[in-house]
């Protein structure tokens, strides 16, 4: 049976489970951050080449000091926004920490996402995990995007 694009992305991401968190890195088993986990899943699934991505270096605290939607800008290059209630395996869930969207996860089905989180590395979490809520109990989820065949 042929896998869907989303299943290919989710399966590729799951191969990164247990990889430590490392800002601006993408080395399976050694270090990755949440943005590069999304890139790795698309590259490892064979949907795009790493050369197709041009991501500038960034501070792991940029979202605390700036409002520019850098994370979102890169996701929009390869994916289209979809409604929250139309969640499919392989979709990118984007969360706001600080002033703007600064965290991403990949939906793998059964209300689970895979993501790289500071101090935790690449982990599975429920989409309702406390990590995804602010101190007042409000969801940090701001958008859901689906990979666009052909990327850009």
């Amino acid at each position: 049976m042929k896998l869907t694009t989303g299943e290919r992305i989710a399966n590729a991401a799951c191969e990164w489970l247990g990889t430590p968190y490392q800002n601006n890195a993408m080395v399976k088993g050694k270090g990755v951050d949440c943005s590069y986990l999304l890139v790795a899943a698309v590259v490892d699934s064979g949907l795009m080449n790493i050369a197709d991505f041009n991501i500038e270096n960034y501070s792991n605290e940029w979202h605390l000091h700036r409002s520019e939607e850098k994370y979102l800008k890169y996701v929009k290059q390869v994916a289209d926004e979809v409604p929250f209630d139309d969640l499919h395996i392989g979709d990118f869930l984007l969360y706001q920490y600080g002033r703007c969207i600064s965290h991403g996860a990949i939906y793998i089905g059964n209300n689970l996402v895979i993501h790289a989180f500071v101090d935790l590395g690449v982990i599975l979490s429920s989409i309702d995990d406390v990590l995804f809520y602010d101190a007042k109990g409000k969801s940090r989820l701001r958008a859901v995007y689906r990979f666009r065949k052909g990327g850009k």
Side-chain angles (χ1 to χ4, degrees), residues 52-99:
D52 295 330
F53 293 92
N54 182 20
I55 300 174
E56 59 193 62
N57 285 336
Y58 48 87
S59 161
N60 63 345
E61 294 184 353
W62 63 267
H63 61 286
L64 300 175
H65 308 290
R66 295 198 170 91
S67 299
E68 180 188 357
E69 291 286 2
K70 284 185 173 192
Y71 201 115
L72 184 57
K73 173 179 78 171
Y74 291 116
V75 171
K76 283 182 172 183
Q77 290 178 16
V78 298
D80 296 313
E81 190 168 10
V82 296
F84 288 19
D85 62 356
D86 186 32
L87 197 57
H88 290 180
I89 291 174
D91 285 352
F92 307 133
L93 282 70
L94 305 181
Y95 300 89
Q96 181 175 340
Y97 291 82
R99 295 182 175 188

Side-chain angles (χ1 to χ4, degrees), residues 99-131:
R99 295 182 175 188
C100 52
I101 291 173
S102 57
H103 185 65
I106 299 170
Y107 184 66
I108 63 167
N110 296 320
N111 288 327
L112 293 174
V113 295
I114 185 167
H115 59 123
F117 207 81
V118 177
D119 296 331
L120 299 176
V122 179
I123 59 172
L124 296 178
S125 295
S126 165
I127 59 173
D128 296 322
D129 194 294
V130 68
L131 287 172

Side-chain angles (χ1 to χ4, degrees), residues 8-19 28-29 37 44-45 114 122:
R8 289 171 59 188
I9 290 169
N11 289 349
C14 286
E15 293 180 15
W16 288 74
L17 271 172
T19 298
K28 192 183 296 181
L37 178 62
D44 290 355
S45 65
I114 185 167
V122 179

